[in-house]
Amino acid sequence: MSGKQQNHHRTTSSRPRSKTLFLIIPLVAFSLLVILYTIFSSSAPQPSVSYVNSSDRPETSFVASLEHFLIHKAPKLSSPVRDDTVRGESDDDDARKLDEMVFERENRWLSEDPVGFPIKVYVYEMPKKFTFDLLWLFHNTYKETSNATSNGSPVHRLIEQHSIDYWLWADLISPESERRLKSVVRVHKQQDADFFYVPFFTTISFFLLEKQQCKALYREALKWVTDQPAWKRSEGRDHIFPIHHPWSFKSVRKFVKKAIWLLPDMDSTGNWYKPGQVSLEKDLILPYVPNVDLCDAKCLSNNAPMRTTLLFFRGRLKRNAGGKIRAKLGAELSGIKDVIISEGTAGEGGKLAAQGGMRRSLFCLCPAGDTPSSARLFDAIVSGCIPVIVSDELEFPFEGILNYKKAAVLVSSSDAIQPGWLVNHLRSLKPFQIKELHNNLAQYSRHFLYSSPAQPLGPEDLTWRMMAGKLVNIKLHTRRSQRVVEGSRSICRCDCWRPNSTASNSFSPLLS
């Protein structure tokens, strides 16, 4: 064989070896990463909670908690202490009288810490058609799983995801002897309140009532609340509305835009909210209720060796508005080794598939949906799967208290869709970085588990801790609204100042 032929033979025979090495090296590196992660995870201290009696364990299932609440607790809630909710229309004189009583209270407390725990919340005793009747409607129909939205999502699963109105209200109206939160107390006199909670189940009514019936109920609720003297006093600035589903209460929102809204996000991508309706200054972002079960300390330890998938996503890849990023990510990540991207629904089978996939994965992809947020983020957190958040417009719950960069990987959309960028970025993370993220995630899961009774440092508790930070600003705007001259600037901005005027000036139109 000539030298030229021998060289040609050596060259062609070395190509398969190079290609094989190219495939084997990343696989060996990822396997080593998983082994190191498993060792670190199993040796790291995990949070655990033990209960002497099973009856002490908080209930985190919405359906189970609601069943117990309606059957056992609701009949006993007729408190001997009646509050002073106005059952009919009030007038401006009632609002002035309330303002005088509030002034006397605040004047007495001026020497004390003006912002501190517990904050005082007045819960309106609304007619049953706004509260108990809607809860019973859900209770009696939630097994009808064929009831779905236009995009195929089970209606009752959506209601569960957005059931923050139930968890907050059920805790507030429980007897004080059964409550565990120290950040908030319920008061029965409007003059004693820092905030006023409106217990209207806007999501249940939106999904389970006929369209016109729902709109009529919204109008009734609006009139009922705005007739209260406390509303007239502050124009609703200290009133809390649970409007957690972006479609709920939509037809009357413009009349309550000064009130505090409890939202899933600010949604600047889908135009669910009109300009000027929502802001971080007045509103509060609350987490969805997770779809999957908590992976507790024992589960996290047992599952550590089984987290062999690098990145996992199960859900709808075709979404509107900001959710169009999903289709691009699906195309980019499809077929990559150690990455699972699949279509799925929110039904019972979908829940089990998502839960199993998250518990077998190091990272869980959390892209924007029709809105910047989705329940998937909180499913990942309680599953011990490090969230990889690709949602540029997302506002996080309780961000004044929690630092999400310590428990999640935040990625810009422009980076995430670059060929190979996202997977290479995740593979580049060192084992100690993954260990730190995972340990912080294990500590954070308690902040996203709604429960009955509500637990210290749970989402109900963090809601009121965040609300306390808004109190001084709410008082400021309420007092300004009571003294600013009509037609003058309504907010403190130099670009809308109007000069003071004590007399009519016939030259004003010409001068302006």
Side-chain angles (χ1 to χ4, degrees), residues 290 292-296 299-300 303 307 354-361 364 376-386 438 441 445:
V292 300
D293 300 327
L294 170 69
C295 188
D296 59 16
C299 168
L300 290 172
N303 279 67
R307 293 188 184 272
Q355 178 170 292
M358 287 182 170
R359 292 186 179 188
R360 292 190 296 270
S361 305
C364 284
R376 182 171 291 97
L377 168 60
F378 311 105
D379 292 349
I381 291 173
V382 302
S383 297
C385 184
I386 301 168
H438 196 264
L441 194 66
S445 62

Side-chain angles (χ1 to χ4, degrees), residues 489 491-498:
R489 65 186 188 277
I491 55 177
C492 301
R493 285 199 328 217
C494 60
D495 59 350
C496 60
W497 280 6
R498 292 178 57 178

Side-chain angles (χ1 to χ4, degrees), residues 279-389:
S279 71
L280 286 176
E281 180 184 13
K282 74 175 186 69
D283 302 316
L284 199 61
I285 307 297
L286 263 62
Y288 290 69
V289 177
N291 279 323
V292 300
D293 300 327
L294 170 69
C295 188
D296 59 16
K298 182 179 179 181
C299 168
L300 290 172
S301 178
N302 293 341
N303 279 67
M306 294 187 289
R307 293 188 184 272
T308 55
T309 300
L310 175 68
L311 181 64
F312 176 82
F313 172 87
R314 178 183 170 85
R316 289 189 176 85
L317 291 171
K318 186 177 180 181
R319 305 300 277 178
N320 299 316
K324 293 178 181 178
I325 186 74
R326 289 192 183 187
K328 296 179 181 179
L329 289 170
E332 162 60 25
L333 297 169
S334 178
I336 297 179
K337 188 173 179 59
D338 302 319
V339 174
I340 296 177
I341 305 293
S342 63
E343 286 277 354
T345 63
E348 192 61 32
K351 168 188 172 179
L352 294 176
Q355 178 170 292
M358 287 182 170
R359 292 186 179 188
R360 292 190 296 270
S361 305
L362 284 179
F363 298 96
C364 284
L365 184 64
C366 301
D370 287 343
T371 66
S373 66
S374 76
R376 182 171 291 97
L377 168 60
F378 311 105
D379 292 349
I381 291 173
V382 302
S383 297
C385 184
I386 301 168
V388 178
I389 300 169

Side-chain angles (χ1 to χ4, degrees), residues 95 98 124 190 196 228-236 238-239:
L98 176 61
Y124 281 122
Q190 294 189 15
F196 296 81
Q228 297 298 318
W231 178 277
K232 294 178 178 179
R233 173 185 174 269
S234 69
E235 297 180 302
D238 49 7
H239 282 56

